[in-house]
Each structure stands twice: as C-alpha cells, then as structure tokens.
Amino acid sequence: MTRWRLTIEYDGGPFLGWQRQGQGPSVQQTLEEAIHRMTGERAAVHSAGRTDAGVHALAMSAHVEIEKSLTEHRLREGVNALVRPHPIALLSAEPVPDGWHARFSCIGRRYLYRILNRTAPPALGRGRVWHIGAHIDVAAMAQGAKLLVGSHDFTTFRSAHCQSESPVKTLDRLDISTKGDEIRIAAAARSFLHHQVRSMVGCLALVGRGQWGPEDIKSALDARDRAALGFNAPPDGLYFVKAVYPGG
Amino acid sequence: MTRWRLTIEYDGGPFLGWQRQGQGPSVQQTLEEAIHRMTGERAAVHSAGRTDAGVHALAMSAHVEIEKSLTEHRLREGVNALVRPHPIALLSAEPVPDGWHARFSCIGRRYLYRILNRTAPPALGRGRVWHIGAHIDVAAMAQGAKLLVGSHDFTTFRSAHCQSESPVKTLDRLDISTKGDEIRIAAAARSFLHHQVRSMVGCLALVGRGQWGPEDIKSALDARDRAALGFNAPPDGLYFVKAVYPGG
C-alpha cells in the first residue's frame, strides 16, 4: 500500500465541482474511476480543497492510497490517459508518509480570481474569467481589500452550506494587480470558508464600480450576517492555485 | 456608407479558419451574418490575415463597409450579441478613410506560438498550446531561430496552398522566451507565407528536442524545398497577436 500525493490541474467548466455527487461529473469521481480502471481498486481521492462547479485548479493537491505497486511515471501516464476526454491533468505523483493528509496536513491555500474588465465579452477567456464591462476603480478595490486582511469573523462572506466549525478565519493576503485589461485578485489563508473568495470578490467589485465605498466592506464584515453580502462573484474566474504543506 | 476598422478576438477551435467556406463555420462568415442581421446588408469583412482552422486571434484587424448609420457602441454591442454562442469578441470598431484596407494597408503582423513543455498534457490549456512532453533545450531553439531572422527565400517553410507571389520574406523578429513550463515564440514580419510560423516552430521544436542541430535550420532554409521541412507545428498553439498600420 502506497499513499500518493497528487498534484492536479483542471478546467472546472464541465464539472459539478471537485466532490463526487450523484447527479453528474465531478473531478474526484473522474480521478477515482481512472485509478479503478488502472488498478481494480476502489480508492478515495481526498483533496486540499473542494472547489465548486465551474471553479478551476492550477495545482490542486490530493492524496490516495493504492495497493498495487506503481511507479510515479506509470501512475501519472495511466491517469492522464484514462481521464480523457475530461480536462484534468495529473501534473505529478509522489509517495508520502501514511500520516500525510491533503486536507488536514495543509497549512496554506492560495486562490486567484480573474476579472476581465473591458467592454467586449471574453472570447478566448470564456468560462475562465468574470467579465465586467463597466469601468472599475482598481485603487478603490485595493483599499477595500485591505480591510479584509487579518483575523475576522467572516460570517457575511460564508455560504449557508459552509461546514467549517468556526466563521473566524485569518486572511493573510488579498492582493490586487492588473495585467492588460485583467484585474487579478490573489488570496492566501490557512483555510477559507465556503464561497469566501467569491463573496469577497463580489463585494470588492461593487467597490470598484462605485456602488459601494471601500468602507462598506468594513460594514459588511462587521454585520456578521450573510444578508449583508453585496454579491457573490461567479465561479468562472476562480482558480485554486496551490496548497502549502509543512516542508513544502 | 462608413468603412469600419474592426479589432477582433477569437478562439479558433470551433472554426474551419478565418475565411468563409462552404463546409462549416468560419470567423468571417459568423461576423458577416451578425452584421447582416443588424443591418440587412451583405457586407464582406476583410482581414489582415487569414488564419487556419484552430488558430486563434488576440486582436485581428479587419474592415467592412456598412451603409446603415451606426455608432461605434451600437456596432460593437450588436455584433457581440449576435455572434453568440461563437467564441468571437469585437473588441473595438472605428471609422477609417475609404482607402484604408485591413490587408493591403497592413505594414506589420505579429504572431505568438505557445508550447507547453511538461510531461502532463494540458487541462486548462487544451486547444490553446502545443504539448511537448519531452525535454526541450530552449537555448538551442533560440540559436536556430536566429538563423531564420532576416530576408530569405522561405520556400521550405511555405504551404503548397500559399498564394503569395514571392517566397522571399523579411522576418524581423523570432524571439523565444519561457514563462513557467511554457515556451513562447514571438514572430514579427511585414507579412508571412501560408504556414510559415507553424513550419518554423515545427523545425525549431526538432532542434529543441535534439533531433536537429541548430545548423539544420540553415540547411532546411537553403534547400528552398518543402520536402526539407522537418515538421509543421499544430494550429492549437498559434495566435495572431496584432496587425500594424502606418500611424498605429
């Protein structure tokens, strides 16, 4: 039996999300079925984060236990061949100690949110960005973002379906930058509440469009009430960038 | 009657190419039909470059003459609404003098070619990059690329279907850079032969993989014979970046 750490890229567009569900394709199920076809084993793939429908991953971390003896090369090539035509790529696989857990060992998560800010809708970026045609004041967004960094009760920015024990999280970074007509929001924390990044981005977009002042972010946070949420940004622009573990 | 300069982004994946054809969807036909639905006019859209099936454009330039009086805003919004669900975006429209011709007034064309160089196939980049799993020596590719810059008879790098009067072209730039696991090849010239960029990239990839030495690029060029071509790179990684005109 070997416990493997998997690093996975996927386009979230065609999936109902990471997690296996009865009603349609998920990233988890697609990977588990590929591994079953390779090994005959029914092994569960556990991830660092459970992304929603339409949310992408540049490098999701996960782990799985496999009885069959495999090389890294064989596991990677086999999974990549068997997940076709689904847009999933197993970037790497490495053996890890039994105690290593993709979710519970993880000490940091990074997300990226991409907004396309131009009048014309996306063509090449379709399903990969949130399109906002109206002018956005990036400096105002950045002011609002600063108010979210740190340890707060993020109840306002939490989905009703969130399973986290506590609504208090520490947001280490929420950096806003631009590249051409794209606005990029980079978020880092040990962990996030369900919908937290999309909820924060949705409110920051209201600030960028002038519908909220930067200080309204503080009021929303202080309200500790989901009803105070301005807007939940769509999944298309969200990317799970990476999971951080002790020692790398 | 107004002559409009159009700037267009598209994902080449679902199209048979830029040019209107009998057998299936083209970017030109999709735009012409949108304009017809807006105006009732059958106007031809002429472009700076006629990209092949699967080739993308970040900012193709084109022109069209329309009788109906329209604002830039109305033309852009109308076309963008009517091309749906095709992955085409009209980025801008501006009136130009009657003599302005997207193809004949163009004094420079820029292309980008993206190679994904990693073992795992692309997930988010599917259809948008050329995947090469084997190791590539980027420095060797760059050496080979230098030999192609300048004025040469590019017969070896020319499709049998090329309609250009002369096989002699002046390649102003062929720059190779890397970004993460991507190799990017930027090409600039007044004009290119049909398949020239893909043919050059295909041969440079042979150099990168060590199957050719950089000097084999020179031999292929000197042969002035299509049979001396090493390899034609796939369309997926090719992007028409922009067209240059006198005064901008």
Side-chain angles (χ1 to χ4, degrees):
Chain A
M1 175 80 83
T2 304
R3 184 174 281 228
W4 293 92
R5 173 180 174 176
L6 311 177
T7 305
I8 307 144
E9 176 190 340
Y10 53 86
D11 172 359
F15 299 105
L16 290 178
W18 166 269
Q19 202 160 16
R20 180 184 272 275
Q21 299 184 44
Q23 317 89 308
S26 65
V27 180
Q28 184 184 28
Q29 181 184 345
T30 305
L31 287 167
E32 287 172 357
E33 284 177 3
I35 290 167
H36 178 244
R37 284 171 64 193
M38 270 188 83
T39 63
E41 300 171 42
R42 290 279 177 207
V45 179
H46 300 274
S47 65
R50 284 166 294 180
T51 54
D52 283 320
V55 175
H56 317 291
L58 299 176
M60 176 59 79
S61 281
H63 78 263
V64 64
E65 285 192 331
I66 299 176
E67 297 265 5
K68 184 168 177 166
S69 175
L70 291 166
T71 61
E72 187 273 345
H73 180 263
R74 186 125 174 261
L75 176 55
R76 185 168 38 74
E77 296 285 307
V79 168
N80 283 332
L82 291 165
V83 294
R84 279 182 203 151
H86 297 283
I88 297 175
L90 179 54
L91 303 181
S92 66
E94 53 171 320
V96 283
D98 280 357
W100 195 93
H101 194 289
R103 183 171 169 202
F104 300 121
S105 304
C106 179
I107 55 167
R109 290 163 174 89
R110 308 270 183 278
Y111 280 93
L112 169 70
Y113 198 98
R114 295 170 58 191
I115 294 173
L116 179 67
N117 186 32
R118 70 179 192 196
T119 49
L124 281 159
R126 189 184 286 185
R128 307 289 176 82
V129 294
W130 179 19
H131 175 233
I132 300 182
H135 172 74
I136 290 185
D137 179 341
V138 178
M141 271 182 97
Q143 263 187 281
K146 269 189 202 160
L147 303 171
L148 291 166
V149 174
S151 294
H152 302 286
D153 179 332
F154 282 98
T155 297
T156 304
F157 301 90
R158 175 187 200 177
S159 148
H161 303 290
C162 184
Q163 290 168 21
S164 175
E165 284 183 22
S166 162
V168 176
K169 294 284 172 191
T170 302
L171 184 62
D172 298 320
R173 273 180 38 213
L174 192 62
D175 296 340
I176 304 191
S177 61
T178 58
K179 189 179 177 189
D181 45 19
E182 243 187 70
I183 299 168
R184 297 182 174 188
I185 302 163
R190 184 178 182 98
S191 62
F192 290 89
L193 299 169
H194 188 219
H195 279 187
Q196 187 181 341
V197 179
R198 290 168 55 190
S199 297
M200 293 190 302
V201 169
C203 291
L204 291 175
L206 290 178
V207 174
R209 295 178 60 176
Q211 294 167 278
W212 276 20
E215 68 286 357
D216 290 323
I217 293 285
K218 181 83 168 62
S219 312
L221 193 61
D222 290 345
R224 296 175 200 183
D225 179 358
R226 185 72 179 162
L229 181 71
F231 196 81
N232 204 24
D236 314 52
L238 185 58
Y239 296 75
F240 185 95
V241 174
K242 69 178 286 194
V244 183
Y245 297 90
Chain B
M1 175 80 83
T2 304
R3 184 175 280 228
W4 293 93
R5 172 180 174 176
L6 311 177
T7 305
I8 306 145
E9 176 190 338
Y10 53 85
D11 172 0
F15 300 105
L16 291 179
W18 167 269
Q19 202 161 14
R20 180 185 273 276
Q21 300 185 41
Q23 317 90 306
S26 65
V27 180
Q28 184 185 29
Q29 180 185 347
T30 305
L31 287 167
E32 286 173 357
E33 285 177 3
I35 290 167
H36 178 243
R37 285 171 63 194
M38 271 187 83
T39 62
E41 299 171 42
R42 291 277 176 210
V45 179
H46 300 274
S47 65
R50 284 166 293 180
T51 54
D52 283 319
V55 175
H56 318 291
L58 300 175
M60 176 60 79
S61 281
H63 77 263
V64 64
E65 284 191 332
I66 299 177
E67 299 266 4
K68 184 169 176 166
S69 175
L70 291 166
T71 61
E72 187 274 345
H73 180 262
R74 183 122 177 265
L75 177 56
R76 183 167 40 72
E77 297 285 306
V79 167
N80 283 331
L82 292 165
V83 294
R84 278 179 204 154
H86 297 283
I88 297 175
L90 179 54
L91 303 181
S92 66
E94 52 171 321
V96 283
D98 280 358
W100 195 92
H101 193 288
R103 184 171 167 201
F104 300 121
S105 304
C106 180
I107 55 167
R109 290 162 174 90
R110 307 269 183 278
Y111 280 94
L112 168 70
Y113 198 98
R114 295 171 58 191
I115 295 174
L116 179 66
N117 186 33
R118 70 180 190 193
T119 49
L124 281 158
R126 190 182 288 184
R128 307 289 176 83
V129 294
W130 179 19
H131 175 233
I132 300 182
H135 172 73
I136 290 185
D137 180 341
V138 178
M141 272 182 96
Q143 264 188 280
K146 269 189 205 160
L147 303 171
L148 291 166
V149 174
S151 294
H152 303 285
D153 179 332
F154 282 98
T155 297
T156 304
F157 300 89
R158 176 187 199 177
S159 148
H161 303 290
C162 183
Q163 290 168 20
S164 175
E165 283 183 23
S166 162
V168 176
K169 293 286 173 189
T170 302
L171 183 62
D172 298 320
R173 273 179 40 213
L174 192 62
D175 295 339
I176 305 192
S177 61
T178 58
K179 190 178 176 188
D181 45 19
E182 242 185 72
I183 299 168
R184 296 182 175 189
I185 302 161
R190 185 178 182 98
S191 62
F192 290 89
L193 298 170
H194 188 219
H195 279 186
Q196 187 182 342
V197 179
R198 288 169 57 191
S199 298
M200 294 190 302
V201 169
C203 291
L204 290 175
L206 291 177
V207 174
R209 296 179 61 177
Q211 294 167 278
W212 276 20
E215 69 286 356
D216 290 323
I217 293 286
K218 181 81 168 62
S219 312
L221 193 60
D222 290 345
R224 297 176 200 181
D225 179 359
R226 185 73 179 160
L229 181 71
F231 196 82
N232 204 24
D236 313 53
L238 185 59
Y239 297 73
F240 185 95
V241 174
K242 68 178 286 193
V244 183
Y245 296 90

